[in-house]
Amino acid sequence: MMQEIEKVLISEEALQKRIQELGMELARDYEGKTPVFVGVLKGVILFFGDMIRATPIRSQIDLMAVSSYGAGTESSGKIVLKKDVSLNLEGRHVIVLEDIIDTGLTLKFTVEHLKAMHPASLKICTLLDKPARRTVDISADYVGFTIPNEFVVGYGLDYNDYYRNLPFIGVLKPEVYEK
Ligand code: PRP
């Protein structure tokens, strides 16, 4: 698997350090509240587990599955809701956790879907932000890392559902997806 990785963009240590910082920031901002972390599957899976543990306040969790990508590296632009949340989010403080904001289409769909449930507040926390690829006007309230326009995998992010188990964020060799 490692021979298909061109370089490590964000090391495991850097990821964990930044997640600890974000967790302390969220703990301060949500002190006295009981937020619901809503993760957007599947890419968020590792970030979700680390992020909720890094935020030492009373909270609840829920998960959605939304998909925009077909096979390959380009978004199809079509968003499909594959799994909805199960908690009642009305009047709740919702923190959406995402692994990456690329075009922003997934997040726009997610936010509109969750806002229709009338939460008390809704904020977005993304591990990675790739602003160069944005096609819709949306931004996160909490950002782990702003990254260049490179095809990244690892730490939950995939190519054709592979590489999610890498503990770091790496850049995939172009020959892997140009084959
Ligand atoms: C990826 C990623 C984000 C989304 C970002 O998910 O996990 O959710 O794309 O792209 P966008 O900003 O262009 O919408 P994907 O749809 O590939 O599903 P996955 O999380 O199951 O890999």
Side-chain angles (χ1 to χ4, degrees):
M1 182 164 60
M2 279 306 291
Q3 60 270 25
E4 289 140 39
I5 302 299
E6 189 167 272
K7 65 177 179 198
V8 175
L9 189 67
I10 308 169
S11 70
E12 185 174 1
E13 293 72 28
L15 284 174
Q16 294 304 328
K17 181 169 175 282
R18 184 68 187 120
I19 288 164
Q20 295 308 314
E21 289 171 3
L22 283 174
M24 295 320 286
E25 203 179 328
L26 284 175
R28 277 198 305 276
D29 293 354
Y30 286 85
E31 203 187 336
K33 301 190 173 100
T34 306
V36 183
F37 287 98
V38 175
V40 186
L41 293 169
K42 300 180 200 175
V44 82
I45 180 161
L46 300 189
F47 179 51
F48 194 81
D50 285 342
M51 199 60 223
I52 61 171
R53 282 181 292 184
T55 311
I57 52 168
R58 187 176 164 83
S59 65
Q60 290 180 308
I61 65 165
D62 213 329
L63 293 162
M64 287 172 68
V66 176
S67 203
S68 65
Y69 283 16
T73 61
E74 287 300 313
S75 170
S76 65
K78 190 164 162 266
I79 312 290
V80 183
L81 178 68
K82 293 185 166 172
K83 181 212 170 305
D84 207 349
V85 291
S86 54
L87 292 176
N88 177 6
L89 299 182
E90 189 176 345
R92 302 298 305 274
H93 295 287
V94 171
I95 305 169
V96 178
L97 293 184
E98 254 290 20
D99 50 321
I100 185 166
I101 311 177
D102 197 351
T103 64
L105 287 165
T106 303
L107 194 57
K108 185 169 183 277
F109 176 93
T110 303
V111 165
E112 281 170 7
H113 180 75
L114 294 173
K115 277 194 173 160
M117 299 177 187
H118 305 292
S121 70
L122 190 150
K123 298 260 174 163
I124 298 156
C125 174
T126 187
L127 177 65
L128 306 176
D129 187 10
K130 204 194 262 185
R133 294 255 311 162
R134 201 76 94 251
T135 60
V136 292
D137 186 23
I138 197 158
S139 58
D141 303 283
Y142 302 88
V143 176
F145 300 87
T146 301
I147 60 164
N149 190 11
E150 292 186 282
F151 194 79
V152 287
V153 293
Y155 195 67
L157 285 90
D158 74 308
Y159 171 63
N160 281 352
D161 257 309
Y162 296 107
Y163 309 105
R164 294 194 197 270
N165 58 328
L166 292 171
F168 55 83
I169 299 289
V171 176
L172 198 58
K173 284 185 181 165
E175 58 259 38
V176 177
Y177 54 85
E178 282 166 3
K179 261 190 271 194

PDB file of all heavy atoms in Angstrom, residues 2 10 13 17 23 34 39 43 55 61 64 80 87 92-93 102 105-106 110 112 129 133 136 142 153 156 167-168:
ATOM      1  N   MET A   2       1.964   1.252   0.804  1.00  0.00           N
ATOM      2  CA  MET A   2       2.804   2.453   0.918  1.00  0.00           C
ATOM      3  C   MET A   2       3.477   2.856  -0.390  1.00  0.00           C
ATOM      4  O   MET A   2       3.762   4.036  -0.602  1.00  0.00           O
ATOM      5  CB  MET A   2       3.870   2.237   2.012  1.00  0.00           C
ATOM      6  CG  MET A   2       3.374   2.449   3.409  1.00  0.00           C
ATOM      7  SD  MET A   2       2.602   4.061   3.639  1.00  0.00           S
ATOM      8  CE  MET A   2       4.021   5.117   3.500  1.00  0.00           C
ATOM      9  N   ILE A  10       0.319  15.143   5.870  1.00  0.00           N
ATOM     10  CA  ILE A  10       0.145  15.466   7.292  1.00  0.00           C
ATOM     11  C   ILE A  10       0.406  14.190   8.096  1.00  0.00           C
ATOM     12  O   ILE A  10      -0.294  13.183   7.922  1.00  0.00           O
ATOM     13  CB  ILE A  10      -1.276  15.996   7.589  1.00  0.00           C
ATOM     14  CG1 ILE A  10      -1.640  17.151   6.641  1.00  0.00           C
ATOM     15  CG2 ILE A  10      -1.385  16.451   9.044  1.00  0.00           C
ATOM     16  CD1 ILE A  10      -3.109  17.559   6.678  1.00  0.00           C
ATOM     17  N   GLU A  13       1.368  12.342  13.877  1.00  0.00           N
ATOM     18  CA  GLU A  13       1.613  13.197  15.046  1.00  0.00           C
ATOM     19  C   GLU A  13       0.964  14.568  14.867  1.00  0.00           C
ATOM     20  O   GLU A  13       0.349  15.105  15.793  1.00  0.00           O
ATOM     21  CB  GLU A  13       3.123  13.395  15.274  1.00  0.00           C
ATOM     22  CG  GLU A  13       3.880  12.149  15.679  1.00  0.00           C
ATOM     23  CD  GLU A  13       4.045  11.123  14.545  1.00  0.00           C
ATOM     24  OE1 GLU A  13       4.063  11.518  13.352  1.00  0.00           O
ATOM     25  OE2 GLU A  13       4.133   9.925  14.849  1.00  0.00           O
ATOM     26  N   LYS A  17      -2.038  16.151  17.153  1.00  0.00           N
ATOM     27  CA  LYS A  17      -1.802  17.411  17.879  1.00  0.00           C
ATOM     28  C   LYS A  17      -2.906  18.425  17.550  1.00  0.00           C
ATOM     29  O   LYS A  17      -3.469  19.068  18.433  1.00  0.00           O
ATOM     30  CB  LYS A  17      -0.415  17.963  17.493  1.00  0.00           C
ATOM     31  CG  LYS A  17      -0.033  19.243  18.193  1.00  0.00           C
ATOM     32  CD  LYS A  17       1.444  19.560  17.970  1.00  0.00           C
ATOM     33  CE  LYS A  17       1.819  20.897  18.572  1.00  0.00           C
ATOM     34  NZ  LYS A  17       1.396  22.040  17.752  1.00  0.00           N
ATOM     35  N   GLY A  23     -10.251  19.973  19.860  1.00  0.00           N
ATOM     36  CA  GLY A  23     -11.094  19.442  20.925  1.00  0.00           C
ATOM     37  C   GLY A  23     -11.176  20.402  22.107  1.00  0.00           C
ATOM     38  O   GLY A  23     -12.254  20.630  22.665  1.00  0.00           O
ATOM     39  N   THR A  34     -24.779  20.549  25.752  1.00  0.00           N
ATOM     40  CA  THR A  34     -24.593  19.129  25.415  1.00  0.00           C
ATOM     41  C   THR A  34     -24.758  18.977  23.902  1.00  0.00           C
ATOM     42  O   THR A  34     -25.854  18.699  23.416  1.00  0.00           O
ATOM     43  CB  THR A  34     -25.621  18.244  26.163  1.00  0.00           C
ATOM     44  OG1 THR A  34     -25.534  18.520  27.560  1.00  0.00           O
ATOM     45  CG2 THR A  34     -25.345  16.755  25.937  1.00  0.00           C
ATOM     46  N   GLY A  39     -21.483  13.002  12.382  1.00  0.00           N
ATOM     47  CA  GLY A  39     -20.422  12.667  11.424  1.00  0.00           C
ATOM     48  C   GLY A  39     -21.013  12.299  10.081  1.00  0.00           C
ATOM     49  O   GLY A  39     -22.106  11.732   9.994  1.00  0.00           O
ATOM     50  N   GLY A  43     -15.929   8.791   5.167  1.00  0.00           N
ATOM     51  CA  GLY A  43     -14.600   9.385   5.297  1.00  0.00           C
ATOM     52  C   GLY A  43     -14.259   9.892   6.689  1.00  0.00           C
ATOM     53  O   GLY A  43     -13.096   9.962   7.070  1.00  0.00           O
ATOM     54  N   THR A  55     -12.652  16.003  22.891  1.00  0.00           N
ATOM     55  CA  THR A  55     -13.533  17.090  23.359  1.00  0.00           C
ATOM     56  C   THR A  55     -14.174  16.653  24.684  1.00  0.00           C
ATOM     57  O   THR A  55     -15.199  15.973  24.700  1.00  0.00           O
ATOM     58  CB  THR A  55     -14.627  17.378  22.297  1.00  0.00           C
ATOM     59  OG1 THR A  55     -14.020  17.519  21.020  1.00  0.00           O
ATOM     60  CG2 THR A  55     -15.383  18.653  22.631  1.00  0.00           C
ATOM     61  N   ILE A  61     -23.660  11.496  20.019  1.00  0.00           N
ATOM     62  CA  ILE A  61     -23.178  11.334  18.644  1.00  0.00           C
ATOM     63  C   ILE A  61     -24.275  10.785  17.736  1.00  0.00           C
ATOM     64  O   ILE A  61     -25.193  10.107  18.193  1.00  0.00           O
ATOM     65  CB  ILE A  61     -21.945  10.399  18.547  1.00  0.00           C
ATOM     66  CG1 ILE A  61     -22.296   8.963  18.961  1.00  0.00           C
ATOM     67  CG2 ILE A  61     -20.783  10.930  19.361  1.00  0.00           C
ATOM     68  CD1 ILE A  61     -21.244   7.934  18.550  1.00  0.00           C
ATOM     69  N   MET A  64     -24.495  10.249   9.673  1.00  0.00           N
ATOM     70  CA  MET A  64     -25.223  10.276   8.404  1.00  0.00           C
ATOM     71  C   MET A  64     -24.302   9.702   7.347  1.00  0.00           C
ATOM     72  O   MET A  64     -23.085   9.766   7.502  1.00  0.00           O
ATOM     73  CB  MET A  64     -25.465  11.719   7.932  1.00  0.00           C
ATOM     74  CG  MET A  64     -26.474  12.510   8.649  1.00  0.00           C
ATOM     75  SD  MET A  64     -26.405  14.215   8.069  1.00  0.00           S
ATOM     76  CE  MET A  64     -26.973  14.095   6.395  1.00  0.00           C
ATOM     77  N   VAL A  80     -26.388  11.944  -2.712  1.00  0.00           N
ATOM     78  CA  VAL A  80     -27.380  10.942  -2.326  1.00  0.00           C
ATOM     79  C   VAL A  80     -27.308  10.737  -0.812  1.00  0.00           C
ATOM     80  O   VAL A  80     -26.226  10.530  -0.271  1.00  0.00           O
ATOM     81  CB  VAL A  80     -27.080   9.592  -3.039  1.00  0.00           C
ATOM     82  CG1 VAL A  80     -28.155   8.565  -2.712  1.00  0.00           C
ATOM     83  CG2 VAL A  80     -26.980   9.788  -4.541  1.00  0.00           C
ATOM     84  N   LEU A  87     -31.156  10.547  16.051  1.00  0.00           N
ATOM     85  CA  LEU A  87     -31.596  11.387  17.174  1.00  0.00           C
ATOM     86  C   LEU A  87     -32.525  12.489  16.661  1.00  0.00           C
ATOM     87  O   LEU A  87     -32.445  12.882  15.497  1.00  0.00           O
ATOM     88  CB  LEU A  87     -30.388  12.047  17.859  1.00  0.00           C
ATOM     89  CG  LEU A  87     -29.425  11.147  18.623  1.00  0.00           C
ATOM     90  CD1 LEU A  87     -28.250  11.973  19.146  1.00  0.00           C
ATOM     91  CD2 LEU A  87     -30.126  10.450  19.783  1.00  0.00           C
ATOM     92  N   ARG A  92     -31.314  21.227  19.422  1.00  0.00           N
ATOM     93  CA  ARG A  92     -29.999  20.766  19.866  1.00  0.00           C
ATOM     94  C   ARG A  92     -28.873  21.587  19.232  1.00  0.00           C
ATOM     95  O   ARG A  92     -29.033  22.182  18.173  1.00  0.00           O
ATOM     96  CB  ARG A  92     -29.779  19.284  19.485  1.00  0.00           C
ATOM     97  CG  ARG A  92     -30.819  18.326  20.046  1.00  0.00           C
ATOM     98  CD  ARG A  92     -30.838  18.312  21.569  1.00  0.00           C
ATOM     99  NE  ARG A  92     -29.544  18.025  22.133  1.00  0.00           N
ATOM    100  CZ  ARG A  92     -29.062  16.800  22.350  1.00  0.00           C
ATOM    101  NH1 ARG A  92     -29.789  15.739  22.064  1.00  0.00           N
ATOM    102  NH2 ARG A  92     -27.866  16.628  22.880  1.00  0.00           N
ATOM    103  N   HIS A  93     -27.728  21.586  19.901  1.00  0.00           N
ATOM    104  CA  HIS A  93     -26.533  22.227  19.350  1.00  0.00           C
ATOM    105  C   HIS A  93     -25.770  21.176  18.542  1.00  0.00           C
ATOM    106  O   HIS A  93     -25.206  20.242  19.117  1.00  0.00           O
ATOM    107  CB  HIS A  93     -25.671  22.803  20.471  1.00  0.00           C
ATOM    108  CG  HIS A  93     -26.352  23.917  21.205  1.00  0.00           C
ATOM    109  ND1 HIS A  93     -26.513  25.169  20.649  1.00  0.00           N
ATOM    110  CD2 HIS A  93     -26.959  23.959  22.421  1.00  0.00           C
ATOM    111  CE1 HIS A  93     -27.174  25.952  21.506  1.00  0.00           C
ATOM    112  NE2 HIS A  93     -27.463  25.237  22.585  1.00  0.00           N
ATOM    113  N   ASP A 102     -14.332  19.754  -0.199  1.00  0.00           N
ATOM    114  CA  ASP A 102     -13.698  19.841  -1.510  1.00  0.00           C
ATOM    115  C   ASP A 102     -14.539  20.836  -2.337  1.00  0.00           C
ATOM    116  O   ASP A 102     -14.371  22.047  -2.182  1.00  0.00           O
ATOM    117  CB  ASP A 102     -13.694  18.415  -2.084  1.00  0.00           C
ATOM    118  CG  ASP A 102     -12.733  18.212  -3.231  1.00  0.00           C
ATOM    119  OD1 ASP A 102     -12.177  19.199  -3.713  1.00  0.00           O
ATOM    120  OD2 ASP A 102     -12.548  17.070  -3.665  1.00  0.00           O
ATOM    121  N   LEU A 105     -20.197  20.581  -2.070  1.00  0.00           N
ATOM    122  CA  LEU A 105     -21.542  20.077  -2.396  1.00  0.00           C
ATOM    123  C   LEU A 105     -22.091  19.156  -1.302  1.00  0.00           C
ATOM    124  O   LEU A 105     -23.255  19.255  -0.925  1.00  0.00           O
ATOM    125  CB  LEU A 105     -21.507  19.322  -3.739  1.00  0.00           C
ATOM    126  CG  LEU A 105     -21.360  20.202  -4.983  1.00  0.00           C
ATOM    127  CD1 LEU A 105     -20.966  19.363  -6.198  1.00  0.00           C
ATOM    128  CD2 LEU A 105     -22.660  20.959  -5.265  1.00  0.00           C
ATOM    129  N   THR A 106     -21.246  18.280  -0.783  1.00  0.00           N
ATOM    130  CA  THR A 106     -21.686  17.348   0.261  1.00  0.00           C
ATOM    131  C   THR A 106     -22.115  18.119   1.508  1.00  0.00           C
ATOM    132  O   THR A 106     -23.161  17.851   2.098  1.00  0.00           O
ATOM    133  CB  THR A 106     -20.539  16.379   0.642  1.00  0.00           C
ATOM    134  OG1 THR A 106     -20.116  15.706  -0.537  1.00  0.00           O
ATOM    135  CG2 THR A 106     -20.966  15.372   1.687  1.00  0.00           C
ATOM    136  N   THR A 110     -25.723  18.501   3.343  1.00  0.00           N
ATOM    137  CA  THR A 110     -25.798  18.054   4.743  1.00  0.00           C
ATOM    138  C   THR A 110     -26.367  19.156   5.635  1.00  0.00           C
ATOM    139  O   THR A 110     -27.255  18.908   6.459  1.00  0.00           O
ATOM    140  CB  THR A 110     -24.385  17.657   5.233  1.00  0.00           C
ATOM    141  OG1 THR A 110     -23.894  16.645   4.367  1.00  0.00           O
ATOM    142  CG2 THR A 110     -24.393  17.148   6.650  1.00  0.00           C
ATOM    143  N   GLU A 112     -28.167  21.793   4.786  1.00  0.00           N
ATOM    144  CA  GLU A 112     -29.578  22.064   4.469  1.00  0.00           C
ATOM    145  C   GLU A 112     -30.471  20.976   5.068  1.00  0.00           C
ATOM    146  O   GLU A 112     -31.528  21.272   5.635  1.00  0.00           O
ATOM    147  CB  GLU A 112     -29.783  22.148   2.945  1.00  0.00           C
ATOM    148  CG  GLU A 112     -29.345  23.504   2.402  1.00  0.00           C
ATOM    149  CD  GLU A 112     -29.298  23.564   0.887  1.00  0.00           C
ATOM    150  OE1 GLU A 112     -29.731  22.590   0.226  1.00  0.00           O
ATOM    151  OE2 GLU A 112     -28.828  24.595   0.358  1.00  0.00           O
ATOM    152  N   ASP A 129      -9.565  21.252   4.599  1.00  0.00           N
ATOM    153  CA  ASP A 129     -10.279  22.189   3.731  1.00  0.00           C
ATOM    154  C   ASP A 129      -9.432  22.390   2.485  1.00  0.00           C
ATOM    155  O   ASP A 129      -8.238  22.685   2.579  1.00  0.00           O
ATOM    156  CB  ASP A 129     -10.479  23.524   4.480  1.00  0.00           C
ATOM    157  CG  ASP A 129     -11.362  24.485   3.712  1.00  0.00           C
ATOM    158  OD1 ASP A 129     -11.972  24.074   2.703  1.00  0.00           O
ATOM    159  OD2 ASP A 129     -11.448  25.658   4.130  1.00  0.00           O
ATOM    160  N   ARG A 133     -10.876  23.997  -4.683  1.00  0.00           N
ATOM    161  CA  ARG A 133     -11.841  23.188  -5.435  1.00  0.00           C
ATOM    162  C   ARG A 133     -13.299  23.612  -5.217  1.00  0.00           C
ATOM    163  O   ARG A 133     -14.215  23.011  -5.768  1.00  0.00           O
ATOM    164  CB  ARG A 133     -11.690  21.729  -4.998  1.00  0.00           C
ATOM    165  CG  ARG A 133     -10.357  21.126  -5.377  1.00  0.00           C
ATOM    166  CD  ARG A 133     -10.466  20.201  -6.530  1.00  0.00           C
ATOM    167  NE  ARG A 133     -11.544  19.246  -6.336  1.00  0.00           N
ATOM    168  CZ  ARG A 133     -12.092  18.543  -7.313  1.00  0.00           C
ATOM    169  NH1 ARG A 133     -11.679  18.697  -8.543  1.00  0.00           N
ATOM    170  NH2 ARG A 133     -13.064  17.700  -7.065  1.00  0.00           N
ATOM    171  N   VAL A 136     -19.330  25.765  -4.418  1.00  0.00           N
ATOM    172  CA  VAL A 136     -20.451  26.429  -3.740  1.00  0.00           C
ATOM    173  C   VAL A 136     -19.908  27.215  -2.549  1.00  0.00           C
ATOM    174  O   VAL A 136     -18.868  26.889  -1.995  1.00  0.00           O
ATOM    175  CB  VAL A 136     -21.536  25.414  -3.263  1.00  0.00           C
ATOM    176  CG1 VAL A 136     -22.234  24.787  -4.437  1.00  0.00           C
ATOM    177  CG2 VAL A 136     -20.951  24.347  -2.353  1.00  0.00           C
ATOM    178  N   TYR A 142     -14.707  25.490  12.106  1.00  0.00           N
ATOM    179  CA  TYR A 142     -13.464  24.953  12.680  1.00  0.00           C
ATOM    180  C   TYR A 142     -12.762  24.152  11.583  1.00  0.00           C
ATOM    181  O   TYR A 142     -13.372  23.264  10.988  1.00  0.00           O
ATOM    182  CB  TYR A 142     -13.767  24.028  13.859  1.00  0.00           C
ATOM    183  CG  TYR A 142     -14.552  24.681  14.972  1.00  0.00           C
ATOM    184  CD1 TYR A 142     -15.956  24.702  14.953  1.00  0.00           C
ATOM    185  CD2 TYR A 142     -13.913  25.266  16.057  1.00  0.00           C
ATOM    186  CE1 TYR A 142     -16.686  25.296  15.977  1.00  0.00           C
ATOM    187  CE2 TYR A 142     -14.632  25.862  17.092  1.00  0.00           C
ATOM    188  CZ  TYR A 142     -16.017  25.878  17.039  1.00  0.00           C
ATOM    189  OH  TYR A 142     -16.735  26.471  18.060  1.00  0.00           O
ATOM    190  N   VAL A 153      -5.360  10.860   0.436  1.00  0.00           N
ATOM    191  CA  VAL A 153      -5.992   9.643   0.972  1.00  0.00           C
ATOM    192  C   VAL A 153      -5.450   9.404   2.377  1.00  0.00           C
ATOM    193  O   VAL A 153      -4.460  10.005   2.794  1.00  0.00           O
ATOM    194  CB  VAL A 153      -5.690   8.397   0.093  1.00  0.00           C
ATOM    195  CG1 VAL A 153      -6.339   8.500  -1.276  1.00  0.00           C
ATOM    196  CG2 VAL A 153      -4.182   8.141  -0.026  1.00  0.00           C
ATOM    197  N   GLY A 156      -9.103   7.849   6.909  1.00  0.00           N
ATOM    198  CA  GLY A 156     -10.537   7.854   6.572  1.00  0.00           C
ATOM    199  C   GLY A 156     -10.816   8.176   5.117  1.00  0.00           C
ATOM    200  O   GLY A 156     -11.824   7.751   4.559  1.00  0.00           O
ATOM    201  N   PRO A 167      -2.756   5.825   8.843  1.00  0.00           N
ATOM    202  CA  PRO A 167      -2.910   6.700  10.010  1.00  0.00           C
ATOM    203  C   PRO A 167      -2.533   8.161   9.741  1.00  0.00           C
ATOM    204  O   PRO A 167      -2.628   8.991  10.626  1.00  0.00           O
ATOM    205  CB  PRO A 167      -1.966   6.071  11.036  1.00  0.00           C
ATOM    206  CG  PRO A 167      -0.928   5.377  10.226  1.00  0.00           C
ATOM    207  CD  PRO A 167      -1.591   4.928   8.953  1.00  0.00           C
ATOM    208  N   PHE A 168      -2.099   8.457   8.505  1.00  0.00           N
ATOM    209  CA  PHE A 168      -1.698   9.828   8.138  1.00  0.00           C
ATOM    210  C   PHE A 168      -2.456  10.248   6.875  1.00  0.00           C
ATOM    211  O   PHE A 168      -3.118   9.419   6.240  1.00  0.00           O
ATOM    212  CB  PHE A 168      -0.183   9.892   7.869  1.00  0.00           C
ATOM    213  CG  PHE A 168       0.265   8.892   6.828  1.00  0.00           C
ATOM    214  CD1 PHE A 168       0.162   9.173   5.474  1.00  0.00           C
ATOM    215  CD2 PHE A 168       0.768   7.644   7.202  1.00  0.00           C
ATOM    216  CE1 PHE A 168       0.554   8.249   4.508  1.00  0.00           C
ATOM    217  CE2 PHE A 168       1.162   6.716   6.243  1.00  0.00           C
ATOM    218  CZ  PHE A 168       1.046   7.021   4.896  1.00  0.00           C
TER     219      PHE A 168
END
